[in-house]
């Protein structure tokens, strides 16, 4: 399978050929963010590192969408949603709520958590298992709902 950086480059070329300016700009932004991390760390990122940068960019978009929706700025939120959709094309499929609940229940039984006081015992192993495939905020909310 192609690595993420190659897929980004290919998608950028395709967007430029098709004169899809919004997609081109989002892909350039993502590649710029990757390059900035490489400059800051003075290392060339492997595919996992590239995925981490894209996860952070996606998280920024989700947070902005929430803020803009609360501020009743639908146009800006819609723009961010379109950008998020483009970024998510290059990320692993995210777990559904049901899949997250199943993983949460499994981890809860493994660590023996019984109440809300045990959230910290659950979150460590859970975040290791769901890193990159589930939104941390959603995972946290599901754990809190289950361990009331």
């Amino acid at each position: 399978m192609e690595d993420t950086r190659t897929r980004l480059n290919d998608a950028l070329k395709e967007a430029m050929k098709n004169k899809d300016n919004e997609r081109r700009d989002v892909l350039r932004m993502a590649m710029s963010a990757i390059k900035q991390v490489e400059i800051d760390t003075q290392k060339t990122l492997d595919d996992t590192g590239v995925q981490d940068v894209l996860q952070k960019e996606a998280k920024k978009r989700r947070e902005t969408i929430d803020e803009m929706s609360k501020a009743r700025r639908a146009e800006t939120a819609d723009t961010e949603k379109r950008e998020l959709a483009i970024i998510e094309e290059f990320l692993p499929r995210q777990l559904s709520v049901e899949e997250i609940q199943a993983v949460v229940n499994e981890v809860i039984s493994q660590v023996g958590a019984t109440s809300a006081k045990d959230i910290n015992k659950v979150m460590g192993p859970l975040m290791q298992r769901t890193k990159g495939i589930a939104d941390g905020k959603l995972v946290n909310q599901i754990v809190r709902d289950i361990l009331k």
Side-chain angles (χ1 to χ4, degrees), residues 48-107:
T48 305
V50 171
Q51 291 280 325
D52 289 345
V53 172
L54 292 178
Q55 288 285 357
K56 288 177 186 165
E57 291 298 319
K59 182 179 179 184
K60 285 182 196 175
R61 299 302 178 294
R62 286 186 199 100
E63 290 171 353
T64 303
I65 290 167
D66 287 345
E67 291 170 14
M68 292 301 124
S69 296
K70 289 176 187 170
R72 299 180 198 268
R73 296 183 56 196
E75 189 175 307
T76 306
D78 290 342
T79 301
E80 293 291 325
K81 285 177 186 174
R82 289 193 304 271
E83 289 181 9
L84 177 61
I86 293 168
I87 293 169
E88 285 179 336
E89 291 175 30
F90 301 93
L91 294 172
R93 183 188 73 79
Q94 297 292 295
L95 295 177
S96 69
V97 173
E98 294 79 23
E99 291 170 322
I100 294 171
Q101 287 172 335
V103 174
V104 168
N105 286 327
E106 188 178 319
V107 171

Side-chain angles (χ1 to χ4, degrees), residues 95-147:
L95 295 177
S96 69
V97 173
E98 294 79 23
E99 291 170 322
I100 294 171
Q101 287 172 335
V103 174
V104 168
N105 286 327
E106 188 178 319
V107 171
I108 286 173
S109 67
Q110 286 175 353
V111 299
T114 56
S115 69
K117 293 178 183 178
D118 299 327
I119 287 177
N120 289 338
K121 278 200 276 186
V122 174
M123 289 305 290
L126 186 58
M127 291 312 292
Q128 287 177 345
R129 288 186 55 184
T130 61
K131 182 179 183 345
I133 56 171
D135 180 38
K137 204 175 193 180
L138 178 60
V139 171
N140 190 310
Q141 186 59 48
I142 291 171
V143 170
R144 289 183 186 284
D145 290 346
I146 292 174
L147 290 177

Side-chain angles (χ1 to χ4, degrees), residues 35-60:
K35 189 70 176 166
Q36 187 61 51
V37 170
E38 288 180 335
I39 290 169
D40 292 346
T41 61
Q42 297 182 350
K43 296 178 186 171
T44 301
L45 294 177
D46 60 359
D47 200 51
T48 305
V50 171
Q51 291 280 325
D52 289 345
V53 172
L54 292 178
Q55 288 285 357
K56 288 177 186 165
E57 291 298 319
K59 182 179 179 184
K60 285 182 196 175

